[in-house]
Amino acid sequence: MSDLLSIGASGVRAYQAALDVTGQNIANAATPGYARRGVRLNEIGAGPGRQLLSTATQTGSGVIVGGITRSADAYRAEAVRTGSSEARRTDAGIAWLERIERTLSNADIGGALTRFFTAAEGIAADPTATAPRTALIEAARGIASAMGLAETGLAAAAADLADTAGAAIAELDGLAAGLAGTNAGLARVRAGSAEQARLMDERDRLLDRMAELGSLHVTLDDRGAATVRINHATGPVLVTGAAAARLTGAVNASGDLAITLQGSGDPEAVQFRAGMLGGLGDAGLRIADQRAAITAMAERLKTDVNRVQAEGLGLDGQPGRSCFRSARGC
């Protein structure tokens, strides 16, 4: 009878643990990184002197919790991270492209140029009148104002992008350090324990956020510790075991997002192909391109208009004076 009661008690304890895990699954259904748990039950062997009623059919003496399992698929998780990384690159790129578009639209350089050339046609139609000349000077000031407004707006966008990129690099650096600490914990815990499941949840949460920030390649060892490389399987190592490389970076004068990886060897320049940092890298170059295009346009306009002015005569019979003193000033 005592053996029968102990078998029953082992079943109650085992399913009490299973019920507790079910409660955790319900409570953490929306927790980032959490994977649904399960309980692995093992039979307790009968052993010498524990045969129930001394029959030959006795095979065990109850049930015991053999470990906690996680319903997680490493391949599916990798695919989700890759998709998330690509999506964040696109989102970041679109956001900054829209800002460039708004800046140029508000400056209305095209409208200012149209008004300038319309005023020039007015002078050609009536060279001796003063009103068209006054209108041309005002239109020239309008061009200078529009280009100055565009440059100011794009410079502000470049500064904001640099701040955003700096914050993203710092966050990724901190996440990498956190993942290294989680790897160290996974190397110490017992396989199948609730603590191992918790650390694996934390590992996946960190990896998911890291993939949103940059393009990564992840491999897991038999203890669940993650090795993270940048971009692909042969890329620079960001995290391995309990060690994490350091990331620093800034947007340089040409608009490039220059990121440096400092591991155990010499510093290495890296560039993320996807994730928020990939999108910010693209956007930084586009902003720099637009600023360079506006500068080139202003310089060419100044040169061409001043040359035409010099080839003509003013109302006083003297050669025409320069309309633009500088690329963006009239």
Side-chain angles (χ1 to χ4, degrees):
M1 178 63 71
S2 61
D3 283 343
L4 189 62
L5 290 175
S6 66
I7 291 172
S10 72
V12 171
R13 286 191 295 270
Y15 282 98
Q16 184 179 28
L19 184 62
D20 180 62
V21 168
T22 300
Q24 293 180 30
N25 290 338
I26 295 172
N28 291 285
T31 300
Y34 184 86
R36 184 170 59 86
R37 307 278 201 271
V39 175
R40 185 176 69 251
L41 301 179
N42 295 336
E43 179 186 20
I44 300 175
R50 299 193 63 178
Q51 288 82 0
L52 181 64
L53 302 179
S54 299
T55 64
T57 60
Q58 171 63 24
T59 59
S61 298
V63 65
I64 190 173
V65 175
I68 305 297
T69 61
R70 295 174 74 245
S71 299
D73 186 327
Y75 296 104
R76 181 179 179 184
E78 180 67 18
V80 170
R81 284 193 290 268
T82 299
S84 173
S85 189
E86 292 292 344
R88 288 305 298 269
R89 175 182 180 174
T90 300
D91 291 344
I94 289 174
W96 289 96
L97 285 176
E98 289 176 344
R99 179 158 178 181
I100 293 171
E101 183 179 5
R102 286 195 304 271
T103 298
L104 296 179
S105 177
N106 291 338
D108 192 21
I109 295 175
L113 288 170
T114 298
R115 289 186 289 274
F116 178 80
F117 289 114
T118 299
E121 290 175 355
I123 293 178
D126 189 0
T128 61
T130 58
R133 293 172 180 269
T134 301
L136 182 68
I137 292 173
E138 289 302 316
R141 291 195 178 108
I143 291 178
S145 176
M147 290 188 173
L149 182 61
E151 168 59 23
T152 299
L154 290 174
D160 291 345
L161 185 143
D163 290 342
T164 302
I169 293 170
E171 182 182 358
L172 183 54
D173 181 66
L175 291 169
L179 180 61
T182 301
N183 282 345
L186 285 169
R188 295 191 298 265
V189 297
R190 180 174 58 84
S193 65
E195 181 62 12
Q196 183 189 50
R198 186 192 68 77
L199 287 171
M200 287 182 173
D201 286 347
E202 177 65 6
R203 176 203 66 197
D204 290 349
R205 184 190 69 80
L206 292 169
L207 288 172
D208 288 347
R209 179 54 183 164
M210 291 170 69
E212 291 179 357
L213 295 172
S215 45
L216 309 173
H217 182 274
V218 180
T219 55
L220 304 177
D221 65 14
D222 55 357
R223 299 287 296 180
T227 296
V228 180
R229 292 178 177 268
I230 294 175
N231 293 327
H232 48 73
T234 58
V237 176
L238 179 58
V239 179
T240 179
R246 295 299 310 277
L247 283 172
T248 57
V251 178
N252 58 30
S254 64
D256 287 320
L257 178 55
I259 303 175
T260 301
L261 181 73
Q262 177 63 68
S264 57
D266 295 332
E268 181 177 0
V270 296
Q271 186 176 25
F272 289 95
R273 297 178 179 176
M276 180 189 292
L277 290 170
L280 291 175
D282 294 341
L285 292 175
R286 290 182 180 273
I287 292 174
D289 288 344
Q290 290 298 320
R291 296 179 73 182
I294 290 173
T295 297
M297 181 193 304
E299 189 62 38
R300 182 173 179 179
L301 180 67
K302 181 198 77 169
T303 300
D304 289 349
V305 171
N306 288 348
R307 175 180 53 79
V308 172
Q309 281 285 98
E311 291 173 354
L313 298 176
L315 294 178
D316 58 2
Q318 298 299 314
R321 291 178 297 174
S322 295
C323 180
F324 292 99
R325 293 191 300 270
S326 65
R328 297 193 185 92
C330 176

